[in-house]
Every structure is written in C-alpha cells, then in structure tokens.
Amino acid sequence: MAGARHKVAELLRHARRLSTAALDKALSLLSSPSSWSYVQHHVVKEPVARLRRALAGRFWRRLGSLLVHVAYFLAVSWLGYLLLAQLRFRAGGDGTRRPRGIDLFFTAVSAATVSSMSTVEMEVFSNGQLLVLTVLMFVGGEVFLSLLGLASKWSKLRKQIHKSSRRVEIHHVAELEMPPVDAATEFDNPTSMTSTADDEISKPLGHSHDTRLRRDAVLSLFFVVLAILLAVHVLGAGAIAAYILHASPAARRTLRGKALNVWTFAVFTTVSTFSSCGYMPTNENMIVFKRDTGLQLLLVPQALVGNTLFPPLLAACVRFAAAATRRVELKETAKKGRELTGYYHLLPARRCAMLAATVVGFLTVQVAMLCGMEWGGALRGMSPWEKVCSAVFLAVNSRHTGESTLDISTLAPAILVLFVLMMYLPPYTTWFPFEERSGVKDHPTEETQGVRLLKSTLLSQFSYLAIFVIAVCITEREKLKEDPLNFNLLSIVVEVVSAYGNVGFSMGYSCSRQISPDRLCTDRWTGFAGRWSDSGKLILILVMLFGRMKKFSMKAGKAWKLS
C-alpha cells in the first residue's frame, strides 16, 4: 500500500513538472518575435496559402480551358467571316443580293459552333464559300476538338517523362562524381546517403512508368478517334455520292436544278451531319428530299455516331483494337477508360449500354408522338413508309443535329414542347439507375470557402436560358406587338433553346401569318432569327457560343435551394 502511494505521488510530481515546462515554453513563444511570426504563419497565412493553392488548382485550370475554348471559337468564327466576305457570292437569282456583315458573321459563328441557325439562304453561297463553311463545321465539331485535346495531353505527358528522365540522368552523373564513402561511416549510418538517394529515385521511376503508360494510352486513343473520324467522313461522303449518282434520279435532278455538284453536296452534308451542325447546301434543308427515304437512312447513322452514340462506338472500337493488336496500353484503356486517359467521351461499358438504351427510348417516344399526332397532318401526302422514315429522321435530328424534312412550324404544340426538351438535354443524358463508380478521385478538401463562393455565383442552365429569352423579348418587343402570329413566345423559346443545344431547328417566318400584311414582304428560306433585329441576332450569337461550351457550367446552380 505504501509502495502504491509512493508511485502515485511520483506520477503527480512528474505531471506537474511537464505542465510547468509546457507553460514556460508557451510563454517564451508568445514573448518571442519569431514565435509571433510562427503563429502568424500557421494561424493566419496557412488558410490564405490553402486558398491560393486551390485557386491555382482545378478551378483556374478549368477557367483557363474555358478561355482557350472561347478564344478558339471566336478566332475561327472571325476568320470564317473574313473569308466569306472576301469570296465571290453566287451569281444569278437571289445570289445577287449580298448579305449584310452581321448576317455573315452570324453564319460563321453558327457553322463554327455547329448550330446551323440561319439568317441567310444557303444557295446564296458559291462553291468556295461552301468549302469555307465545311471547314468551319469540321474544326468546330466535338470529335475534332477532342482530338486536339488528346494531342495536347500527349504533349504534356511527353514533356513530363522527358523532365523525369533528365532528373534521373543528373542524379546518376552526381553519383559518379561523388567521393567514395568510408566503409566504417557507411556501417555506422547505413541509411545515410546511398539509401536515401535510392528512395528518392524509386518514386520518380514508378511515377515515370505510370506516366509512360498514360502517354501511350493517350496516343493510341488519339489514333482510334482519328480512324473513326476519317472512316465516317470517307465512307459517308462516298455512300451519299454513290447513292445519288446510281440510285436516286430525283436527287440528281434536284441538285442539277440548284447547280450543286454531287461531291460538294456529299462532302458538305457528311461533315455537317457528323459534326451535328445541320447545315445543308440547299435552301430548304432536307425538305426538298422529304420523300427520298434512302438519303434519310444514310444520314441517320451519321447523326447518331457523331453525337449521342459516339461513346458506345468509341468503346467498341477500343476493345476491338485491343483484341486485334494486343497492345498493353489499349488493353488498359479498354479496362480503365477515362480513369487512365482522362478522355471525356470514353465511358464505361455499362454506361454506354444504358446510353444506347436511353437514346432508343427517346427516339421511340418521339416517333410515336409524331406518327400518332401528325399522320394525317404534317406527314400527309406521303406513303406509310415515307411517314415512318421522316418521323425517325426528325426524332434523330432533334438531339442536336437539326436537319429537317418538314416545316417545324406546322407541327403540333405538344410535339414542339417535346422537341424543346430534347434540344435542351445534353447529348450523353442517360437513364442510369445504378451507383456509378469512378476511379477518378475527387479532392474536396482543395476547395476552400472562397472557391465555393465563386462557384455559387453561377446560375443553372435553365436560368441562363430564361435570361436569354427575356433579353430577346425585350429587343423584339415591338414586333411581338405588331406581328404576334410570327413573333410569339413559343417561337422565341424554340429558337433560343435550339441555339443553346446547337441544333438548328427553327419555326421560320411566314408573310401569310402577318396580321397587317406587308406587300413588300417576301418569304425566304431562313430561320426565324433572320427577321430579328441586329441586337437580337447578337444575343443569339452569345447563346450559340454559350451552348457550345455548356460543359463548363453543367454543374452550376447547386447553391440555389428550392425547398
């Protein structure tokens, strides 16, 4: 018992000594200027440093990518506008009337952003100008831009590997020039120079191996995407030209009457369809071919694989290339997908399957509504087979391509509202009732309150669309009063959402719908925006650019709570 009391007393004395020493150390720190700088650094400056690291991280990298995209589209659009303005317009007919500068710039932006919104009749343009529009649509397509992204990523990985190898070479040179270590010293301190250096080198070597694998995977994926891009354009243009030359006399007569070369039409249409633009070198778009089911069925798969079904096609091609070549990087790409390459369009197998099922479901609903409500309406005058093909063609094009075999304004309002919904949805919208697992780890701790505050200022996509519609209603308020049958809210909503979705559907404008007929009014094959004021056209240009880069703001608006 006495021994226990002695141990307890000793423990109490020891605790008192420790607390006294800790208190003395704290007081000395507080009284020292250096300690104040230490406290200031860790208490005051550390949160600021974390904020700077966060702002210099993912948020600003994403902002930098957005600015690069904006600069790219503006530069391409401006160059296209200059070329369109310098080249000679088509002679004869309506081609003698030179379009205004705002309309030419609008057309260049529409082609570069693959929106196909129209303020100028397409048959005004000569073959040289059609070639310029073809190039604009090609370089503005999502698949081509993703190729540029893969090339940039491969270049960055190659530079990282080069820097890592240079560090290893410098280390080996320094190791050769290092004086020999005394054996006794090395025995006394076995973890000194040599083992520390080995530890430092082993990490870069492992990291370099992973980086090399990523570099090879990105390069292989680049060639797979390039092969898809070239194959679709070569086979698509060849199939359309062969069909027109050998199987469709009506299409040949139509192109001959419009003085359009068959190969110009085939190449232009293929590029426009695969890039999800929707421009056609004819004034009437595909309405002039509304009974040519063969041409429509040739364009449907191009529109699908260039937009909503590109990920399933890419995943199948990657797996096929991995099985055919047995290359390690392709096998890893097929297994890990976006986790390894960071390629946005490379989705997991289950997600690809559900995406294809979702696309089929949306198409089924639209075709059923079109056939059920317009069988004796907008589709009248066609055979049953032609009606079904036209309904399928319209349903496919409502998801971002925008080619049309019918006058959209003649459709029932319920179908127009459904089309607005389809145009609003992103291309990879998927019904996915499973828990999606991703190997890409998020780092929420990197986002400080400041970054979250900056993100919370962004609105949702629907909010921006509402703002754009309100702005157009303000700029066109006089026409909304004077010409309400043409300038109505539904027509404006369709035009704005179509520009946002980069689709190209339009209600158009008809002189016959004017309440106070204007004898000078002439019907033209242009979109509804062709009758807007210059201010309204500028707003629609902003909508097209915003819609083309909406992937940078899809997750915005989460700070708003509706309940």
Side-chain angles (χ1 to χ4, degrees), residues 30-343:
L30 289 175
S31 60
S32 172
S34 61
S35 66
W36 273 108
S37 63
Y38 176 85
V39 173
Q40 184 183 11
H41 172 75
H42 285 275
V43 177
V44 179
K45 292 186 178 181
E46 188 63 26
V48 177
R50 285 200 302 268
L51 175 61
R52 288 178 179 175
R53 287 195 299 268
L55 292 178
R58 299 171 63 191
F59 180 78
W60 284 112
R61 284 199 301 269
R62 193 169 181 83
L63 180 60
S65 179
L66 172 62
L67 295 177
V68 169
H69 278 73
V70 171
Y72 175 83
F73 282 113
L74 289 178
V76 169
S77 300
W78 185 253
L79 180 60
Y81 160 72
L82 294 178
L83 292 175
L84 290 176
Q86 291 299 320
L87 292 174
R88 186 187 301 272
F89 287 85
R90 200 169 173 181
D94 293 334
T96 56
R97 179 179 177 273
R98 182 185 178 90
R100 299 170 58 231
I102 181 66
D103 293 324
L104 284 180
F105 183 68
F106 186 98
T107 303
V109 174
S110 185
T113 59
V114 294
S115 301
S116 73
M117 307 301 295
S118 174
T119 60
V120 179
E121 290 183 326
M122 293 301 296
E123 291 178 21
V124 167
F125 297 114
S126 62
N127 283 335
Q129 291 169 322
L130 290 179
L131 177 61
V132 172
L133 292 176
T134 303
V135 174
L136 289 177
M137 293 185 294
F138 183 81
V139 301
E142 181 63 29
V143 177
F144 178 80
L145 284 178
S146 69
L147 271 179
L148 297 183
L150 285 173
S152 174
K153 186 170 296 185
W154 174 80
S155 177
K156 291 179 181 178
L157 293 173
R158 189 167 64 94
K159 290 180 180 178
Q160 290 179 11
I161 294 173
H162 179 69
K163 290 180 180 179
S164 178
S165 61
R166 288 292 302 273
R167 286 196 298 268
V168 173
E169 291 177 0
I170 291 172
H171 165 73
H172 286 316
V173 170
E175 190 179 44
L176 290 174
E177 296 177 354
M178 191 181 301
V181 182
D182 182 69
T185 307
E186 186 177 3
F187 179 80
D188 294 337
N189 190 9
T191 60
S192 58
M193 185 68 68
T194 307
S195 60
T196 303
D198 291 340
D199 292 340
E200 292 296 325
I201 290 299
S202 62
K203 293 181 181 179
L205 285 176
H207 178 71
S208 177
H209 174 73
D210 296 338
T211 307
R212 289 178 189 276
L213 179 61
R214 288 189 62 200
R215 179 202 62 183
D216 295 340
V218 168
L219 183 61
S220 299
L221 187 60
F222 173 87
F223 285 116
V224 171
V225 176
L226 180 62
I228 294 174
L229 184 68
L230 295 178
V232 171
H233 283 87
V234 172
L235 295 178
I240 292 175
Y243 172 79
I244 294 175
L245 291 173
H246 302 290
S248 181
R252 286 200 304 274
R253 287 194 299 269
T254 300
L255 296 182
R256 192 180 303 117
K258 294 179 176 295
L260 285 173
N261 181 271
V262 173
W263 280 102
T264 300
F265 176 83
V267 173
F268 187 97
T269 303
T270 299
V271 173
S272 177
T273 304
F274 182 77
S275 64
S276 299
C277 182
Y279 268 151
M280 299 287 287
T282 58
N283 284 342
E284 307 90 343
N285 202 274
M286 281 291 292
I287 296 178
V288 71
F289 301 108
K290 67 179 181 179
R291 307 197 69 167
D292 197 333
T293 58
L295 181 59
Q296 295 172 28
L297 294 179
L298 282 175
L299 295 180
V300 163
Q302 297 180 30
L304 289 174
V305 300
N307 192 269
T308 53
L309 294 185
F310 180 70
L313 174 65
L314 176 61
C317 291
V318 168
R319 290 181 180 275
F320 175 79
T325 62
R326 298 181 180 180
R327 296 181 66 90
V328 176
E329 61 271 16
L330 282 173
K331 291 181 179 178
E332 292 297 319
T333 302
K335 184 187 303 182
K336 297 181 180 179
R338 191 189 298 181
E339 178 186 352
L340 178 64
T341 60
Y343 190 57

Side-chain angles (χ1 to χ4, degrees), residues 277 426 436 483:
C277 182
E436 190 169 13
D483 193 6

Side-chain angles (χ1 to χ4, degrees), residues 330-451:
L330 282 173
K331 291 181 179 178
E332 292 297 319
T333 302
K335 184 187 303 182
K336 297 181 180 179
R338 191 189 298 181
E339 178 186 352
L340 178 64
T341 60
Y343 190 57
Y344 172 75
H345 305 282
L346 191 58
L347 303 179
R350 181 184 287 185
R351 174 74 185 276
C352 288
M354 295 306 298
L355 173 60
T358 304
V359 171
V360 172
F362 283 156
L363 292 180
T364 303
V365 172
Q366 293 179 84
V367 171
M369 285 194 66
L370 280 166
C371 292
M373 300 186 68
E374 299 293 346
W375 193 266
L379 295 174
R380 66 178 178 273
M382 305 180 189
S383 67
W385 171 246
E386 290 172 349
K387 292 180 179 180
V388 173
C389 288
S390 184
V392 171
F393 188 82
L394 275 175
V396 168
N397 280 271
S398 68
R399 296 294 306 278
H400 310 294
T401 307
E403 296 167 0
S404 176
T405 55
L406 297 175
D407 183 1
I408 301 299
S409 64
T410 62
L411 298 178
I415 297 177
L416 292 176
V417 173
L418 179 62
F419 280 176
V420 168
L421 174 61
M422 292 296 106
M423 293 187 293
Y424 174 77
L425 295 177
Y428 299 160
T429 299
T430 309
W431 182 72
F432 198 80
F434 311 103
E435 184 179 354
E436 190 169 13
R437 299 177 180 178
S438 176
V440 182
K441 297 181 179 179
D442 296 329
H443 301 282
T445 56
E446 294 181 0
E447 289 191 0
T448 62
Q449 185 65 29
V451 176

